[in-house]
Amino acid sequence: MTTLRAKDETAPARQEAPARKNARAPLLRNLLLLRLCILVFLLSNTALALGFGVVGAAPVLAGCALAAFLLFSFRPKEGGLLAAPIDARTFAACLALAVALLLLGGETHLFYANLDWLMRDAVLSDLTRQGFPLFYRYEGQDYLLRAPLGMYLLPAAIGRWTGLAGAHIAMLAQNTLLLGVCLYFVARLAGARIAPFLALFVLFSGLDILPQLFLEGLALPDHLEWWNPAFQYSSHVTQLFWVPNHALPGWWAALLLLLLAREEIDLALLAILFAATLLWSPLAAVGAAPLIGFCALRLGRGLFAPRILAAAVAGLCFLPIALYLTIDAESVRHGWLLAIPGFVGLYVAFILVEIPHAAILLAARERLARSDRALVGAGVVVLLALPFYSFGPNNDLAMRASIPALFLLAFAFARVAVSTPRDGGALASLISAIVIAAAATPAMEIKRALVVQAFAISDCDLLTSWRKTDPHVFPTNYLARREMVPAWLGAASDARLEIEQRSCWPDHPHLPDSRK
């Protein structure tokens, strides 16, 4: 009896320990990571709104507050991925991979930064120096900085206190969080061996090496993806190295689409992310819109649930952001491509080279998760449709609106590739051939980062950087004429940045100091 009483007395103590552990578990769940990253997107919109006048700022701030309420009131399903504790080892590995990719891509200029970073550095420098709204004067005309500024605003706010170097470090930290968490979630969702899956996912690309070999022989260009003059679908490494400001919101939209398909989240979270990422990349949001609409239609009557209606209200509050992004936008080049000479041949060749992975998924559709099949199929439809219309100086629509759909295709292909037995069969051989040929594109991007000399961060302003890099095409994708700016945006600052007569990149390997 004494022994039994002793056991009974210790039982409550043993039961209290798991209870205390479970009480702490919510702080360490995967949901925390999801909330942190969506909050980053919301805070960047808040930062921009604070530069608007009261009429423009009030609805955006209200929308951010309502979106934050919906985000933090969400409860994950029991036994799901978001309710599970954070896998510390996998998360640490994904963060390390994210840091490596972003540093190789040119962030902080530890390695060579591609040419797109010259204008991007200028935007960050100008916002760090003067904040938003930001005005320029060129040839007697005043312009407003009108661009997707989402990636820059929080780092620039930190840079106001820490200097330009601090702003660049803050951008690296922000982007590492967004990329690392995204990689962590796709690795967990895949349910496959993590290392090979992430390798295939990150190195995902079209077969750009094949047309380049046909056109150029062994004299391959430094950048393989412009073999087709009309459109480009960028590899994942290219997206991260050249345009992380588009890649990160596009990848997060696709990630939430996958989570919605797996019933891990509701449409409300996807809706508020969509609204918040417009400021980061409206073109990536355009690519995500039909996929979100496809998922919404499948909900049927569930589309009118209170949380979803509240998310729609929150999304409408972001209208001033959308209007800001479209100020004087008609000056950006756009139009249908059907009439260009040889369009049909260019289109067919483009599809065969860029997304042969879709044929593999069709052949191996039984290997796809049942929840993912319709969504991945919708993504392929988007990729088939995008080349028909052009928007932007270099047809940015195809390059950027394709990002969410390419993410879904890459996720499904990598998952099938890892799970396919290496038995020498036709399917395994085709997968291997695609993987090997596709690896050339990211390999060339990584090679450039490792081989070409790095150069220092510049604090030249946007106009100066433009004149020194591409003076023949005015940057209408960054600047809107002052007279087109609506009154609700707020009073114009008296400060105007103009072209500076000084050197910007004296140590740049391709832009000698003599270009002044």
Side-chain angles (χ1 to χ4, degrees):
M1 293 294 294
T2 304
T3 305
L4 288 176
R5 279 198 302 270
K7 289 183 178 179
D8 291 340
E9 289 168 359
T10 58
R14 289 197 303 270
Q15 292 169 1
E16 287 174 6
R20 286 194 298 269
K21 182 178 180 181
N22 291 334
R24 292 193 300 269
L27 298 177
L28 302 174
R29 290 185 300 180
N30 291 320
L31 179 60
L32 171 65
L33 300 178
L34 184 78
R35 285 173 171 165
L36 282 175
C37 291
I38 295 179
L39 194 60
V40 168
F41 291 114
L42 291 174
L43 287 174
S44 61
N45 284 265
T46 301
L48 186 81
L50 292 175
F52 289 168
V54 174
V55 175
V60 177
L61 295 176
C64 288
L66 179 54
F69 171 78
L70 293 171
L71 174 62
F72 285 93
S73 63
F74 172 75
R75 295 294 178 265
K77 69 177 183 180
E78 290 187 19
L81 174 60
L82 295 181
I86 297 172
D87 181 341
R89 290 183 60 184
T90 301
F91 182 47
C94 290
L95 283 179
L97 177 59
V99 171
L101 288 168
L102 294 171
L103 288 176
L104 285 172
E107 296 201 23
T108 72
H109 289 233
L110 182 64
F111 294 91
Y112 175 73
N114 291 305
L115 293 178
D116 281 13
W117 277 102
L118 303 183
M119 295 289 278
R120 194 168 296 122
D121 286 352
V123 171
L124 182 60
S125 174
D126 292 350
L127 287 171
T128 299
R129 181 170 21 176
Q130 291 197 202
F132 180 86
L134 190 57
F135 291 89
Y136 299 86
R137 178 166 291 167
Y138 177 67
E139 294 185 347
Q141 170 71 55
D142 287 346
Y143 295 90
L144 166 73
L145 177 63
R146 184 264 297 123
L149 301 178
M151 186 178 75
Y152 310 93
L153 291 164
L154 296 183
I158 294 172
R160 297 295 293 271
W161 299 94
T162 62
L164 186 56
H168 278 267
I169 293 171
M171 179 179 286
L172 175 64
Q174 167 191 266
N175 293 352
T176 296
L177 174 68
L178 295 175
L179 178 56
V181 173
C182 185
L183 293 174
Y184 169 76
F185 275 124
V186 293
R188 295 295 305 275
L189 284 171
R193 290 172 294 154
I194 291 175
F197 170 82
L198 283 178
L200 291 174
F201 178 81
V202 169
L203 298 176
F204 179 84
S205 172
L207 312 183
D208 308 292
I209 186 70
L210 300 183
Q212 288 288 8
L213 286 172
F214 177 78
L215 294 169
E216 306 292 342
L218 295 178
L220 293 173
D222 186 45
H223 185 65
L224 297 180
E225 290 173 292
W226 271 124
W227 62 270
N228 188 310
F231 15 70
Q232 175 194 133
Y233 284 165
S234 304
S235 72
H236 278 181
V237 169
T238 298
Q239 292 173 28
L240 295 174
F241 282 23
W242 291 79
V243 287
N245 50 319
H246 295 285
L248 293 172
W251 284 23
W252 266 91
L255 171 62
L256 263 63
L257 282 162
L258 281 172
L259 290 171
L260 180 65
R262 302 285 183 93
E263 299 182 346
E264 291 281 352
I265 64 169
D266 59 8
L267 186 63
L269 291 189
L270 182 56
I272 62 176
L273 178 89
F274 173 80
T277 54
L278 281 171
L279 182 59
W280 283 64
S281 176
L283 291 178
V286 165
L291 300 172
I292 296 172
F294 172 75
C295 292
L297 290 175
R298 300 184 76 195
L299 287 178
R301 294 182 180 179
L303 188 58
F304 300 100
R307 274 182 57 85
I308 296 176
L309 293 177
V313 172
L316 289 174
C317 291
F318 286 79
L319 183 60
I321 300 287
L323 293 175
Y324 158 76
L325 292 170
T326 57
I327 295 171
D328 204 18
E330 63 274 7
S331 59
V332 181
R333 188 167 62 187
H334 60 279
W336 293 97
L337 293 177
L338 284 166
I340 68 172
F343 173 81
V344 174
L346 287 172
Y347 174 81
V348 172
F350 181 74
I351 295 301
L352 291 175
V353 169
E354 295 299 333
I355 55 170
H357 320 76
I360 297 295
L361 297 182
L362 180 63
R365 56 188 176 277
E366 295 302 320
R367 296 180 184 271
L368 292 176
R370 188 176 298 275
S371 60
D372 301 345
R373 292 174 190 173
L375 179 60
V376 173
V380 172
V381 171
V382 169
L383 294 173
L384 293 173
L386 278 174
F388 288 92
Y389 193 81
S390 173
F391 180 88
N394 297 301
N395 193 1
D396 298 74
L397 179 68
M399 288 189 287
R400 311 307 171 221
S402 61
I403 289 173
L406 287 173
F407 179 103
L408 296 174
L409 185 62
F411 174 83
F413 178 77
R415 194 168 181 270
V416 167
V418 171
S419 64
T420 299
R422 294 171 176 79
D423 55 5
L427 181 63
S429 298
L430 283 172
I431 290 173
S432 297
I434 289 174
V435 169
I436 292 169
T441 300
M444 292 290 282
E445 297 296 321
I446 294 170
K447 174 190 172 184
R448 186 189 314 114
L450 294 173
V451 171
V452 180
Q453 171 192 328
F455 58 97
I457 293 169
S458 167
D459 63 350
C460 282
D461 68 30
L462 179 68
L463 286 177
T464 306
S465 299
W466 159 67
R467 280 293 295 269
K468 291 177 179 293
T469 55
D470 192 12
H472 304 296
V473 181
F474 192 73
T476 55
N477 52 327
Y478 283 99
L479 301 175
R481 290 168 291 177
R482 175 68 184 90
E483 61 268 21
M484 303 299 292
V485 178
W488 56 260
L489 185 63
S493 168
D494 292 333
R496 300 287 191 276
L497 297 179
E498 301 186 61
I499 292 178
E500 304 167 288
Q501 300 302 319
R502 65 187 181 96
S503 175
C504 294
W505 311 283
D507 57 342
H508 196 290
H510 302 307
L511 295 174
D513 195 26
S514 58
R515 183 181 290 189
K516 298 183 179 179

